[in-house]
Amino acid sequence: QVQLVESGGGLVQAGGSLRVSCAASGRTFGSYAMGWFRQAPGKEREFVAGINWSGRSTKYADSVKGRFSISRDNAKNTVYLQMNNLKPEDTAVYYCAAGPMSNTGYGGPWDYWGQGTQVTVSS
């Protein structure tokens, strides 16, 4: 079992930056692929970024490429999402998820989810 707790969300002006974190419980964090997803009001949850177990492979949604960066620290059981040049359309609840090491394409499965953290970007 893996428990995920997101933090670091908040209110930021357009063009600003924010880093959200996801702390995981358990000693097997380093064996999981990790992902960040977001869900805006009235919209479906969408994939934002993924990172493999070692941190050497990443993938981003087209809408955030060049602005967001995913990273992980396996010693701290934590995955991060650095968000730069934020836009109002990035406003959403951001969730982290953990999936098996075989989830190399980041399409799933995603076995564990956090409770989410709100990111609001004002114009």
Side-chain angles (χ1 to χ4, degrees):
Q1 283 278 12
V2 176
Q3 291 186 327
L4 305 172
V5 179
E6 300 96 335
S7 62
L11 174 64
V12 63
Q13 288 189 331
S17 298
L18 204 61
R19 188 177 79 161
V20 291
S21 303
C22 173
S25 65
R27 292 175 289 181
T28 59
F29 173 77
S31 66
Y32 287 93
M34 299 297 296
W36 282 99
F37 294 76
R38 67 187 182 186
Q39 187 167 20
K43 294 188 176 181
E44 293 188 353
R45 185 169 56 193
E46 63 175 356
F47 172 82
V48 175
I51 189 167
N52 78 332
W53 66 274
S54 69
R56 294 193 183 101
S57 171
T58 58
K59 182 177 180 178
Y60 298 92
D62 289 342
S63 59
V64 306
K65 266 180 196 174
R67 300 188 298 122
F68 289 14
S69 177
I70 188 172
S71 62
R72 67 190 295 163
D73 186 337
N74 287 346
K76 295 182 178 179
N77 282 13
T78 303
V79 62
Y80 306 96
L81 185 68
Q82 176 68 43
M83 302 181 288
N84 299 326
N85 190 22
L86 282 159
K87 304 175 181 180
E89 51 264 42
D90 294 318
T91 295
V93 177
Y94 282 72
Y95 300 90
C96 70
M101 192 183 297
S102 59
N103 186 8
T104 55
Y106 308 109
W110 297 100
D111 299 324
Y112 304 101
W113 293 85
Q115 83 291 347
T117 185
Q118 176 71 47
V119 172
T120 303
V121 185
S122 63
S123 57

